[in-house]
Structure formats: C-alpha cells, structure tokens
Amino acid sequence: MKEHLESKVHHHYLSHKIQNELIHMLVFEIKNFILTKIKEAKFFLVILDCTPDVSNQEQMTLVIRCVDVSTSPIKVEEYFLGFLNVDDTSGQGLFEELQNMLNSFGLDIDNVRGQGYDNGANMKGKHQGVQKKLLDINPKALYTPCGCHCLNLTLCDIANSCGKAKDFFGVIQRIYTLFSHSTKRWKILVDHVTLKGLTLKPLSTTRWESRIESVKAIVLQAQQVREALLELAERDTDSKISSEAKSLATFELGNFEFLIGMVIWYNILSKVNLISKSLQSEDMLIDIAMIKVKGLIASFEEYRETGFGEAISTAKEIASSMEIDPIFPERRQIYRKRQFDEISREPSQIRRVSPEEDFRVHYFLYIVDQTIGSLKKRFEQYEEYEDLFGFLFTYDRLNSLIDGDLKARCKNLERKLQKKEISDLDGDDLYQELKIIQHMLPRETKTTSAILNFLQRMNCFPNAFIAYKILLTIPVTVASAERSFSRLKLLKSCLRSTMTQTRLNALSLISIESEFLEKLDYERLIDDFAEKNARRSIFHS
C-alpha cells in the first residue's frame, strides 16, 4: 500500500467518488437479489415506519415481507429496501411516497396482500391513514397493527388510568434519578446491590414492556435499595437529597401497599414482556401470534382470580426481610353531610370495607380488568383473521370442518381476495383441493408453514398453495422496521450527519442485508469496475 501511494501512478482509486461507485455496485447486486425473490413470490406485504434522524430529517423505512419459494423448505423473509426522506408525514403524503418507491423498484401495488404499521394515526387511520389510502386502491391489502405496539399501548392504557399506578412509576424513576445524578451516590448504591448485572435502570418513555428491567431491579433487591437510601440520607450533606432519600426509604419502600403494587406490576410486565419478545421474530406467523395473545389474555384472567393472594404472600416475604409491618394503613372514614329530609343511617349500619379489600378492588382488580379489556380491544383484528383464515391454521382445524362449513369458508376467502370480480383463487376449486388434502396431509404437519411446504412438494394444488402463501405473508409486528432504525443511528451519527440520502440507503442496505454479500460474484464485479474505469481513463486521455 505504501509503495502504491508513493508511486507516480495518478489513479489510486481512493477518492470518495470511487468509494461511492464500489458501494453502489454492491447495492445494485443485492437489490437485484432481493427484488428477484419478491417477484418470484408475487404476493408481498409492506411494512412502513418513520423516525427522525440525527440531522432532524424524517426517515421512512420500507420493509417487504414475502414467502421465499426458491428455497426448500419455504421461508418467510422480510427484506429492507431503503430509507426515504419525507417532508409530508400525513397519511396522503406517506402513501404517495410508498407508491413512488414501489414503482421505482418495479413492484406492482396490486400484488400487495398486507400492510403492517405502528398505531400512529397517520398510519392506521380509518379515514385518512396510509392503510385506508392503500385499501381504496387495493382492497386485498389486509391491514395488521403491530402486535408489539398493541401490547405497549395496553400497558400505557392501564398505567395512565389509575392514579396509584402513576405514582408507582414516578417513585421508580425518582429512585433511579436520585442515585444516577452523582457518581458518589451511585457508588453507595453499588456497594449495597448484591446481584451482579442487576442495577437500577431508567424508565423507557416509549417501550413500556421494557420497564420490567426497572421494576425487576427493585423487586429482587428491595432491602438493599432501601438500605442504600437510608445510608444516603445519613451521609449526604445536601439537605434536599438527604430528605428525598429518607422519604423514599420510609414512605415508599417502607410502605406495605407499595411493596404489593411493586409485585403486581412485576408480574404484569413480566407476562407482557415475554410475549412481546417472542412476537418480534421475523418468521413469526399470525396463527402462532394469535395463540400467544389468547394465552396471555387467559393468563391474566386466571391471575385475576389468584394473583392477589400470591402478591400478598410475596410482599409479606419482602416486608419481613425489611422489617416492615405487613399491614394496610387504616384510612379515616369520611361521612357525607346529609340534608334534613334524608333518612339517616347509624354508623354501625354502614358496611365498612377492610383496607385490604379496598386495595384489592380499587387497585388490583381495576388494573387487571383494564389489562384484559385493552388486550381484547387492541387485538380485535386477530379475530377477523381467525374468521377469514382460521380453517387453514392447522391439520386439526382443517379436518374438523364438515363439507358445508368448509365450502362456505372457501367462498368467503375468495370474496375477500377479490378486486373488480377477479380473485386470487377460486373458492370452489379451493374447496375441492382441500377435500383431497384432508386425506393426504400427514398428521405431523402441525403448522401453516409445514402445510405450505407439503403443498410445494405435491405441486398440484394451486389454489391452496396461494391461500397458504398469502396467510404466511400477513405480519405480526413491525420489528424489522424498528431494527432498521438501529442501523440508521449507527450510520448517520453526529460525526456523519451530512451524507447524502443515496449513500445512506446504500450503506444501510449493505449493513442490514449483509448475508447477500456472500452470494456476490466479486470477480465479475472487479472486472466490471476495471472495465468502466479503463474506458473512463481512455476517454479523459
């Protein structure tokens, strides 16, 4: 390299123009690979999401989900195609940008069979959102709200509907802020915390299910955190900090009601976080997601009946280790002033509710019921998919239907996938194919992907193959779009905030779809590069 740089050769191929040329050659090949697979699949789904970058420009990411039929076994893939700098973030503006991007890639918008977005009004709006604009053009583009966003909003719903819940998370954040704003205070905390890798964390303002980490650090180390607060109250010379630490240790962590609330929220967040993590897989299928969401709702319904007693038991163990009396504080009974003509009742006739029962009814049952209700409301779309595709989900579901029900469901699916009297499949033919498949399908084919692989091997059931391919195309979350934002932050940083949109897209595609780099013919690319630059040199000379 040193000899090359010190030589008198004029063409070193180290300029930014040559870098961009090499990058764009790689991107051209990768994009061709991806677009070929999407066109082979024919039907695909679009996933959109937006975020501001470090230079305060709104970036919209486009991810395409499809069934890769060129592999065996068949795989469900999600491909990143690029970022787009958008100025108009209204539903109409984002839809027009989507149209332009699909046209630039040579993808037919009529082949879109689904759309997955977050729960923003400009995306999911029933009248002016992107999903409505796309449905007006292509009624077969089934809309699915992001499952993880729905779980996140469920937690927002229940936390914001109850004053005690707001106070609880406020205390969690106050404890973290108190220690984190000083290295000396943090050292006091670290000296008391015994579990490695489990320290206080701030509350996320967007990803509510991730607050489990903030709550977990205190639930499992309540005694140690309280001791750290008491030591801080004694040692800190700032009266404000000392008073704050003493107040948190005495009136919050020293309060039995707070400990019970902490255990309850830990259980709720744990359940939701577990399902949210599992839904973020790229190959997560809608039927599996529906099973998990139904299981989550059933888990909360069971928790409603048994959870309070378990929470009391756990909180008493924590209180015992902290030498706190496991009792609910008695509240003074407030009697309403009565008018002269009202029938008065003696205090002895008024049924008094115990503090424990009052806490159970107005806090525990309230937030659990809110959770169950919000989950059912936000996942209503899954019920529609159950009615539309449910008979195709498993071997057992397919074989459980009598002829009349099976035929009715096939005709219903035909109508749903129809535009201007032209449908993706024929309902009568699908019915006949499924009647044969019922007798051929092996019992071990438990999932929709396994059934589709079986149909590919048989290669004689075109309508059933299309139905299952569209079913597998339906998304569960927009996690792939969120992951592309992580790469965006790495590439367009404070030190590299002025790169052009073309270079940003090229680097993002190479980074996100790096697995395609192994499939490139580098010898051919080098020859093409050398030939182009040789012609350029001859032209300039």
Side-chain angles (χ1 to χ4, degrees), residues 48-62 80-90 93-98 100-101 104-105 485 488 492 497-506 508:
L48 298 180
D49 205 354
C50 295
T51 189
D53 62 21
V54 71
S55 59
N56 293 319
Q57 294 179 326
E58 192 73 16
Q59 298 284 352
M60 182 175 76
T61 182
L62 172 63
F80 169 79
L81 286 183
F83 292 112
L84 189 66
N85 184 12
V86 294
D87 296 321
D88 184 2
T89 57
S90 65
L94 295 177
F95 173 67
E96 290 175 357
E97 296 292 356
L98 171 62
N100 294 335
M101 287 186 78
S104 67
F105 294 132
F485 293 152
L488 173 64
K492 197 166 185 181
S497 62
T498 58
M499 71 171 70
T500 63
Q501 192 71 22
T502 303
R503 183 180 173 90
L504 173 63
N505 275 331
S508 300

Side-chain angles (χ1 to χ4, degrees), residues 388-407:
L388 186 61
F389 291 102
F391 69 106
L392 300 174
F393 281 168
T394 63
Y395 170 90
D396 294 331
R397 295 283 292 274
L398 185 59
N399 281 273
S400 65
L401 296 176
I402 60 176
D403 290 355
D405 289 342
L406 180 60
K407 190 169 186 177

Side-chain angles (χ1 to χ4, degrees), residues 124-279:
K124 74 165 187 176
K126 295 182 179 180
H127 303 290
Q128 299 297 327
V130 177
Q131 67 108 356
K132 173 60 176 175
K133 302 294 182 182
L134 183 51
L135 284 172
D136 288 341
I137 292 179
N138 179 6
K140 295 183 282 187
L142 306 174
Y143 165 65
T144 306
C146 174
C148 292
H149 278 85
C150 290
L151 291 175
N152 192 57
L153 291 173
T154 294
L155 294 175
C156 290
D157 291 343
I158 60 178
N160 292 326
S161 65
C162 178
K164 286 186 177 180
K166 293 180 182 179
D167 295 341
F168 169 76
F169 286 108
V171 171
I172 298 295
Q173 183 64 25
R174 282 167 59 197
I175 294 174
Y176 169 80
T177 303
L178 188 66
F179 285 110
S180 64
H181 281 197
S182 168
T183 54
K184 292 182 180 179
R185 288 180 239 152
W186 192 260
K187 179 66 167 55
I188 294 175
L189 173 68
V190 172
D191 289 342
H192 284 81
V193 171
T194 57
L195 297 178
K196 292 184 178 179
L198 195 61
T199 187
L200 300 185
K201 292 179 175 61
L203 296 177
S204 172
T205 56
T206 54
R207 297 182 61 236
W208 270 77
E209 77 279 1
S210 69
R211 294 191 174 195
I212 179 62
E213 300 299 328
S214 304
V215 177
K216 182 180 180 180
I218 298 181
V219 169
L220 301 183
Q221 305 173 112
Q223 181 181 358
Q224 292 87 338
V225 173
R226 186 166 183 254
E227 290 174 354
L229 287 168
L230 292 173
E231 181 178 338
L232 178 60
E234 292 180 3
R235 293 176 53 181
D236 202 289
T237 57
D238 188 332
S239 59
K240 181 180 177 181
I241 299 300
S242 177
S243 175
E244 175 78 357
K246 186 175 181 180
S247 174
L248 288 170
T250 305
F251 301 109
E252 306 300 347
L253 285 178
N255 186 333
F256 186 59
E257 279 193 0
F258 180 85
L259 297 182
I260 298 174
M262 184 170 62
V263 173
I264 292 170
W265 272 105
Y266 178 66
N267 291 331
I268 291 176
L269 291 172
S270 296
K271 294 174 186 293
V272 174
N273 186 62
L274 182 65
I275 299 301
S276 179
K277 293 293 184 186
S278 66
L279 294 184

